[in-house]
Amino acid sequence: MAKIQDVAKLAGVSTATVSRVLNNPESVKNETSRRVMSAIKSLDYTPNRVAKSLSSKAQDITVGVIFPDIATFYFAELYKGMSREARENNINILLHELEEGANAREETLMNALHFLKKSNVSGILLSSRYIPKEYDQAIKRLGIPLVMVLSSHEAGSIPAFKIDDKRAAFDSVAYLVSRGHQRIGIISAITNNHNSGELRHQGFLQGIQYYNLPLSPEQIVYGKMRYDDGYKAMTELLSNHHKTKITAVFAATDEMAIGAIRCVIDSGLKVPEDISIIGYDNLSISDMTIPKLTTISQPFYEIGKESMKHMIEIIKEPDKGQKSGNHFLAYQLVERESVKELT
Amino acid sequence: MAKIQDVAKLAGVSTATVSRVLNNPESVKNETSRRVMSAIKSLDYTPNRVAKSLSSKAQDITVGVIFPDIATFYFAELYKGMSREARENNINILLHELEEGANAREETLMNALHFLKKSNVSGILLSSRYIPKEYDQAIKRLGIPLVMVLSSHEAGSIPAFKIDDKRAAFDSVAYLVSRGHQRIGIISAITNNHNSGELRHQGFLQGIQYYNLPLSPEQIVYGKMRYDDGYKAMTELLSNHHKTKITAVFAATDEMAIGAIRCVIDSGLKVPEDISIIGYDNLSISDMTIPKLTTISQPFYEIGKESMKHMIEIIKEPDKGQKSGNHFLAYQLVERESVKELT
DNA sequence: TAATTTACATTAATCGATTACAGAATTTAA
DNA sequence: TTAAATTCTGTAATCGATTAATGTAAATTA
């Protein structure tokens, strides 16, 4: 590997001049510049990045991203948003997947945090479901700015980018009511302490209350966000159907909604003719299901982009102080085929 | 930010000793070591990574990954495989998404390559659909080892990790035949010069020939790999149904298969009762469709892992020479619900 | 022609670590 | 007690760039 000295020698100039040709060409005479360039070419010289950043003190910034499972359907959109913003600002992303250990989730989060710290990231975008309060201190001690994505910090001291889950769930109920539904079941999301699931649950309850709808315990069922959970949950809901007579179901995630649809169909009923289902997320696959899913659309791309944007601001102007608390982005209810209008 | 000199001064030793305490503790007297450690603690000192790698010449290795579209359904699995292997070897990944420009694909690939080169990656894992021969020279000039993933290089001089597409497509036909199908349509994948689509097409044709099945031009239809393409293609296939009387369709990607299913259902027919459909990929969603998709399962995780493993070998022992040509991994035909046994 | 500018180029310090080599301190052997 | 061996620590070169300070040659002005 050729270094700057080699180039300098070959071109018959000093290393300073070579450096200038590369970084400040106007300050070098054309003739000299040409000689240097040809030396660079013939030696196939590329400046050593490490030496460059050590000397210029302008190390390239990299932001760490912690995500529990890359295979989550919305991950790609979220990441695209982050990635786009990062690229525009010449910032690298170090993606760290939190291993889906059955146990040891806590251990792993702290590990991830430390791993990223060691990798010298300037900030961390955290999309974990589980942030126990015990971590608060440790996080503060890290000394690296954090931004939460899609989930919020209980204490609220860490800025978070997401949609207003409570409101969106409420809107879902309102929508179902507007289509004539009164008896509504819910497949709620349980997620290791992650509060989004809970917020959606609360919003749902508020809707029920607001519209004065009936609600028996048999109408409430829980799952862990995934397809299989939705399927199982729906089985339970159906087993009480004769009693609850629900005409619609609010599923707290699209994946569960899709599982629920499958379950309904397996049991010989039809969606939406016999049971309407509304989801939450608007995954790309929710447009491919039969029937197509009516759902709350989360702006994953924007959430990713905005959270990264905010992170960059924090990094570049640390004194400015990060705006903590929730940053809500706009969501939409997308009408498709899985909710029937009752007459 | 404290540096090693500060620590040295505070502990009353030389920088060399501080460095030794950190990197070679046995060589330092306990008492000294303790003093240094406490100085490190009280100054909250962390070694500067850049300086460290410049001086030790042990820069951390990073491998670039070029992928056309992160939102592709199988991306996550592929990436997990790569990521796992990389992490075990203490290697970083720099993920670079090729912007899905309608035009300018060529430009972008070269850009991506150069961008990664500038970022000092030691190797590039390339999963692009489009590698014109014109690039051969430019790639050679790059001077960075390349490994192809999921697609192969025409000239064959770049190692590639994938499954044997031709064989797998042949097997699909064989399977359909074993279920009593004789009149089979194909939704073939067109992909800017990417040869996987073509190989599957060839394999299909070989199967048709081998089993001596009828094949009219109306049984062959093309799409660009995605859901919508599958839908459109199936529309075309159905419009000739009265003539071709096909009982089964081989779709070159799961996404297209799923689009095709939707199309069949929209047209009032049923899968697999009226038309059987077999896919290709085995995406996670192919297990969620109604009916569940019978398909060729590609080992995305392993492909990712093996390609990264090979890359690492090349990087660590450049003299050994990379084994060019195709490295085929094992695939499987997964039977589910979308193919009916004709009696 | 001498003095003053202007335009480039060079020298050498610097970034923050590691490490070969040499020297000091301590332990062991004689 | 002294020489030899061993253990520990310090000095200074080094990694490969950037850049402030400085020098020199050419161009301009008086």
Side-chain angles (χ1 to χ4, degrees):
Chain A
M1 209 73 218
K3 37 189 181 174
I4 200 169
Q5 279 95 333
D6 305 325
V7 176
K9 194 177 299 170
L10 182 61
V13 297
S14 71
T15 63
T17 300
V18 176
S19 176
R20 258 186 242 110
V21 168
L22 256 18
N23 304 305
N24 195 14
E26 320 83 57
S27 70
V28 177
K29 215 197 324 187
N30 270 341
E31 151 62 12
T32 315
S33 192
R34 233 174 283 125
R35 261 195 356 260
V36 170
M37 286 309 283
S38 93
I40 289 180
K41 282 245 165 61
S42 80
L43 289 176
D44 195 23
Y45 164 75
T46 337
N48 179 313
R49 272 213 139 197
V50 177
K52 186 166 182 156
S53 39
L54 176 59
S55 104
S56 67
K57 301 200 91 178
Q59 319 184 185
D60 38 335
I61 302 173
T62 116
V63 168
V65 172
I66 297 181
F67 200 87
D69 182 6
I70 305 239
T72 305
F73 287 104
Y74 55 72
F75 170 74
E77 280 307 308
L78 195 69
Y79 187 83
K80 278 189 184 192
M82 297 177 176
S83 159
R84 181 69 186 278
E85 185 69 24
R87 207 187 284 189
E88 274 173 16
N89 286 274
N90 238 296
I91 278 173
N92 294 321
I93 291 180
L94 189 51
L95 177 58
H96 191 90
E97 188 177 11
L98 220 46
E99 306 236 4
E100 285 273 75
N103 48 356
R105 154 80 26 113
E106 316 186 35
E107 212 77 39
T108 311
L109 174 57
M110 215 57 225
N111 276 359
L113 254 20
H114 276 123
F115 172 82
L116 289 177
K117 182 183 178 138
K118 268 185 215 148
S119 297
N120 251 25
V121 301
S122 309
I124 297 176
L125 256 35
L126 181 54
S127 181
S128 171
R129 313 180 182 151
Y130 185 48
I131 303 220
K133 287 168 226 124
E134 307 93 81
Y135 276 49
D136 278 25
Q137 260 216 327
I139 284 175
K140 207 158 279 173
R141 239 183 298 122
L142 256 192
I144 297 180
L146 283 197
V147 168
M148 306 275 314
V149 182
L150 285 179
S151 60
S152 56
H153 180 53
E154 280 184 82
S157 54
I158 303 177
F161 288 78
K162 58 198 293 272
I163 70 171
D164 187 342
D165 286 297
K166 210 190 276 187
R167 217 166 192 311
F170 181 95
D171 286 356
S172 296
V173 175
Y175 172 76
L176 290 175
V177 170
S178 78
R179 304 291 118 155
H181 295 275
Q182 298 277 350
R183 308 185 153 274
I184 306 173
I186 176 175
I187 299 177
S188 194
I190 299 180
T191 66
N192 312 326
N193 253 8
H194 175 25
N195 53 0
S196 284
E198 195 170 324
L199 291 171
R200 292 173 202 174
H201 194 98
Q202 289 173 14
F204 173 83
L205 256 30
Q206 282 186 1
I208 295 291
Q209 210 171 352
Y210 183 85
Y211 291 103
N212 226 296
L213 306 178
L215 186 71
S216 69
E218 288 90 355
Q219 286 170 243
I220 304 178
V221 138
Y222 297 87
K224 281 190 182 175
M225 310 194 92
R226 311 310 296 261
Y227 177 84
D228 292 337
D229 304 311
Y231 193 102
K232 269 184 229 141
M234 194 69 208
T235 312
E236 218 176 317
L237 240 28
L238 286 179
S239 72
N240 291 311
H241 195 207
H242 60 283
K243 199 174 147 200
T244 58
K245 298 267 170 24
I246 53 174
T247 60
V249 170
F250 167 75
T253 71
D254 272 10
E255 255 196 83
M256 292 202 294
I258 296 171
I261 289 177
R262 171 79 196 201
C263 175
V264 170
I265 289 176
D266 281 357
S267 75
L269 297 174
K270 284 186 173 176
V271 179
E273 288 77 1
D274 301 308
I275 294 212
S276 291
I277 293 181
I278 188 168
Y280 199 107
D281 278 343
N282 192 26
L283 306 178
S284 56
I285 55 171
S286 304
D287 196 30
M288 302 181 185
T289 55
I290 304 173
K292 294 183 179 179
L293 197 59
T294 290
T295 188
I296 293 289
S297 174
Q298 292 209 64
F300 293 111
Y301 181 88
E302 283 75 22
I303 289 177
K305 195 167 159 79
E306 289 303 314
S307 56
M308 179 59 84
K309 197 172 181 175
H310 190 231
M311 181 83 258
I312 293 174
E313 280 170 13
I314 295 176
I315 292 175
K316 296 205 166 160
E317 314 184 49
D319 35 311
K320 211 173 161 188
Q322 56 195 75
K323 313 160 216 151
S324 55
N326 292 325
H327 298 241
F328 289 139
L329 279 87
Y331 57 89
Q332 262 188 311
L333 197 156
V334 182
E335 284 190 78
R336 286 202 276 251
E337 307 168 344
S338 65
V339 174
K340 178 188 176 190
E341 170 134 33
L342 296 185
T343 50
Chain B
M1 209 74 217
K3 36 189 182 173
I4 200 170
Q5 279 93 335
D6 304 326
V7 176
K9 195 178 296 172
L10 182 61
V13 297
S14 71
T15 61
T17 301
V18 176
S19 177
R20 264 185 231 110
V21 169
L22 257 17
N23 303 304
N24 196 13
E26 320 81 58
S27 70
V28 177
K29 216 198 322 189
N30 271 340
E31 152 63 8
T32 316
S33 190
R34 232 175 284 123
R35 266 204 343 270
V36 171
M37 285 310 282
S38 93
I40 288 179
K41 281 247 165 58
S42 80
L43 290 176
D44 194 23
Y45 164 76
T46 338
N48 179 313
R49 270 213 143 198
V50 176
K52 187 164 180 156
S53 38
L54 176 60
S55 107
S56 66
K57 301 202 87 178
Q59 319 184 185
D60 36 336
I61 302 173
T62 116
V63 168
V65 173
I66 295 181
F67 200 86
D69 182 6
I70 306 242
T72 304
F73 287 103
Y74 55 72
F75 170 74
E77 279 307 308
L78 193 70
Y79 187 83
K80 277 190 183 188
M82 297 176 177
S83 159
R84 181 69 185 278
E85 185 69 24
R87 205 188 283 189
E88 273 172 16
N89 286 275
N90 238 296
I91 278 174
N92 294 321
I93 291 180
L94 188 52
L95 177 59
H96 190 91
E97 190 179 10
L98 219 46
E99 307 235 4
E100 283 274 76
N103 48 356
R105 151 86 23 118
E106 314 184 35
E107 209 79 38
T108 311
L109 174 57
M110 215 58 224
N111 275 359
L113 253 21
H114 277 122
F115 172 83
L116 289 177
K117 183 182 178 140
K118 269 185 213 144
S119 297
N120 251 24
V121 301
S122 310
I124 296 176
L125 255 36
L126 181 55
S127 181
S128 169
R129 311 177 184 151
Y130 185 47
I131 304 216
K133 286 167 228 127
E134 305 95 82
Y135 275 48
D136 278 25
Q137 258 216 327
I139 285 175
K140 208 158 279 174
R141 240 183 295 124
L142 256 190
I144 297 180
L146 284 196
V147 169
M148 306 277 312
V149 182
L150 286 179
S151 60
S152 55
H153 179 53
E154 280 182 83
S157 54
I158 304 176
F161 288 78
K162 58 199 293 277
I163 70 171
D164 187 340
D165 287 295
K166 210 189 278 188
R167 217 166 193 312
F170 181 95
D171 285 357
S172 297
V173 174
Y175 172 76
L176 291 174
V177 169
S178 79
R179 303 294 119 154
H181 296 274
Q182 297 276 350
R183 310 185 152 272
I184 307 173
I186 176 173
I187 299 179
S188 194
I190 301 182
T191 67
N192 312 327
N193 253 8
H194 178 24
N195 54 359
S196 285
E198 194 172 323
L199 290 172
R200 292 173 202 174
H201 194 97
Q202 289 173 15
F204 173 83
L205 256 30
Q206 282 186 1
I208 294 292
Q209 210 172 351
Y210 184 84
Y211 291 104
N212 225 297
L213 306 178
L215 184 71
S216 68
E218 288 89 356
Q219 283 170 244
I220 304 178
V221 138
Y222 297 87
K224 281 190 181 175
M225 310 195 94
R226 313 310 295 261
Y227 178 82
D228 292 337
D229 303 313
Y231 194 101
K232 268 184 232 142
M234 195 67 208
T235 312
E236 217 177 317
L237 241 27
L238 286 180
S239 72
N240 292 310
H241 193 207
H242 60 284
K243 198 173 146 201
T244 59
K245 298 268 170 27
I246 54 174
T247 60
V249 170
F250 167 75
T253 72
D254 271 11
E255 256 196 82
M256 292 202 293
I258 296 171
I261 290 178
R262 171 80 194 202
C263 175
V264 170
I265 289 174
D266 281 358
S267 74
L269 297 174
K270 286 185 170 175
V271 177
E273 290 78 359
D274 301 308
I275 295 215
S276 292
I277 294 182
I278 188 166
Y280 198 107
D281 277 344
N282 193 26
L283 305 177
S284 57
I285 54 170
S286 304
D287 197 29
M288 303 179 184
T289 53
I290 304 171
K292 294 184 179 178
L293 196 61
T294 289
T295 188
I296 293 290
S297 175
Q298 292 210 64
F300 293 111
Y301 181 88
E302 284 74 22
I303 289 176
K305 196 166 157 80
E306 289 304 314
S307 56
M308 179 61 84
K309 197 171 183 176
H310 190 231
M311 181 84 258
I312 293 173
E313 279 171 13
I314 295 176
I315 293 174
K316 296 203 166 161
E317 313 184 48
D319 36 310
K320 210 172 161 188
Q322 54 195 72
K323 313 161 215 149
S324 54
N326 291 325
H327 298 241
F328 289 138
L329 281 86
Y331 59 89
Q332 261 186 313
L333 197 156
V334 183
E335 284 189 80
R336 287 203 274 251
E337 308 166 345
S338 64
V339 173
K340 179 187 174 191
E341 170 134 31
L342 297 185
T343 48

